Amino acid sequence: MQPLVATTAAELRAITKNASIALTPTMGALHEGHLSLIKQAKKLADINVVSIYVNPLQFGENEDFDSYPRDLSADCDKLRDLADVVFAPQDLYVTPQTVRLALPPLADELCGHFRPGFFQGVATVVCKLFNSISPQTAVFGLKDFQQTHIIRLLTAQLNFNIDIVAAPIVRETDGLAMSSRNIYLHPAERAQAILLPQTLQMAAKQIMEGVPPAQAAAAAAASLTQNNFVVDYVEARDYSTLGAPIGERIILLAAVKLGKTRLIDNIECVLPTAAKTAPNF
Ligand code: AMP
């Protein structure tokens, strides 16, 4: 069955009534990465809701808000027999939207350093979606590792009674993490893009073999730069806190630009002593 489309919270509530809801927030242009989250969500509640909203607040002035791919009817086709309802609000903001969330310093690090205001935009829209939809569960991708981490923090610290589920990265067969922005890549850039996961994988192997994480990350950044990527960052952080990599479970995160396209990726490194005991995220 084709999903129903609700464009206001009132319409959505009329459909969902008191049923339990699993929510997967997206900006549309759905691909297999999104669909894997939505499949997981389907098992977690009575009604499977997918939100599709290109959130203006998380785009910088010179970013791709206007050109971001939008095709609601193609997205609804992909959600056939998978989602019950698509929540596609015209707009979620009031004018003027003067209330802002204050986020911890982590929101100004990594991607937040290179995209000022990005996580505040994400956090604001996620709060609006949570309050409009009242899901029991919400599914986010580990592709956006820092984002999922910050959403966990805000859910806990603002007392949302919502289970946050983190789903693994879905990759193309050659290893490139799926992204709605991959369509921006010219063929030569697309071919080159696989060096990002390959370089991260090599650095992760070095870390797991005992090379200091910061050294492996710096070598990966240098190698990517040499291969014509503009590197925003390659950093090794603690998997659970996203602080300095002091634990045995480390996450290696990277953001690069290839031409006009910004790509992010990450890979987990479990140090040998932690391998037997590491819990799942
Ligand atoms: P977006 O539409 O880019 O805002 O992404 C919506 C959700 O899908 C976020 O929670 C992303 O982390 C997740 N997502 C995007 N791409 C992937 C992927 N390749 N694998 C897993 N999750 C993904």
Side-chain angles (χ1 to χ4, degrees):
M1 239 177 42
Q2 203 78 357
L4 299 170
V5 177
T7 56
T8 64
E11 255 181 272
L12 181 78
R13 275 193 287 270
I15 298 167
T16 57
K17 301 205 172 74
N18 293 323
S20 68
I21 296 171
L23 168 68
T24 307
T26 80
M27 297 203 299
L30 301 179
H31 51 66
E32 286 299 327
H34 296 115
L35 298 184
S36 76
L37 271 55
I38 297 161
K39 280 177 198 157
Q40 193 162 340
K42 190 173 165 61
K43 299 181 204 144
L44 301 174
D46 297 337
I47 298 197
N48 202 14
V49 175
V50 175
S51 63
I52 296 182
Y53 181 65
V54 184
N55 171 31
L57 206 59
Q58 72 188 66
F59 285 79
E61 251 176 45
N62 299 316
E63 293 186 348
D64 55 344
F65 176 71
D66 289 331
S67 58
Y68 199 85
R70 293 166 171 88
D71 190 342
L72 183 61
S73 113
D75 284 341
C76 286
D77 288 344
K78 290 176 198 158
L79 294 173
R80 202 181 170 77
D81 296 329
L82 193 54
D84 301 298
V85 188
V86 168
F87 182 54
Q90 294 291 325
D91 201 356
L92 280 174
Y93 292 95
V94 292
T95 309
Q97 175 84 40
T98 49
V99 172
R100 288 280 189 276
L101 287 165
L103 295 177
L106 174 63
D108 297 319
E109 299 175 19
L110 302 168
C111 277
H113 177 75
F114 293 91
R115 302 184 73 187
F118 171 72
F119 287 113
Q120 205 183 51
V122 169
T124 305
V125 82
V126 166
C127 285
K128 282 174 176 277
L129 291 168
F130 283 179
N131 284 326
S132 304
I133 300 170
S134 302
Q136 273 67 40
T137 306
V139 184
F140 294 87
L142 289 173
K143 156 95 183 342
D144 298 85
F145 191 93
Q146 186 182 9
Q147 172 174 293
T148 298
H149 184 90
I150 288 172
I151 288 164
R152 274 191 191 286
L153 291 182
L154 90 82
T155 303
Q157 294 184 20
L158 296 182
N159 301 71
F160 283 107
N161 188 16
I162 298 172
D163 278 336
I164 303 299
V165 173
I169 302 178
V170 177
R171 297 178 180 279
E172 303 287 355
T173 46
D174 64 5
L176 179 65
M178 289 188 183
S179 163
S180 305
R181 290 190 166 99
N182 289 351
I183 56 162
Y184 299 155
L185 295 167
H186 300 305
E189 292 169 342
R190 174 65 188 81
Q192 198 190 337
I194 61 167
L195 285 176
L196 174 60
Q198 285 174 355
T199 306
L200 288 185
Q201 211 157 19
M202 230 150 55
K205 186 164 171 280
Q206 290 170 350
I207 292 170
M208 291 190 278
E209 286 169 357
V211 174
Q215 187 181 319
S223 159
L224 287 165
T225 304
Q226 220 165 31
N227 283 297
N228 299 322
F229 290 83
V230 174
V231 175
D232 278 356
Y233 64 85
V234 180
E235 281 201 38
R237 296 280 179 114
D238 183 82
Y239 191 95
S240 306
T241 64
L242 271 184
I246 45 171
E248 291 165 324
R249 231 180 147 199
I250 285 165
I251 186 81
L252 186 65
L253 308 113
V256 298
K257 286 193 207 81
L258 204 47
K260 291 198 168 114
T261 311
R262 190 169 190 274
L263 303 173
I264 60 170
D265 202 348
N266 65 76
I267 185 166
E268 182 188 349
C269 323
V270 181
L271 300 184
T273 46
K276 290 188 208 89
T277 52
N280 287 327
F281 191 77

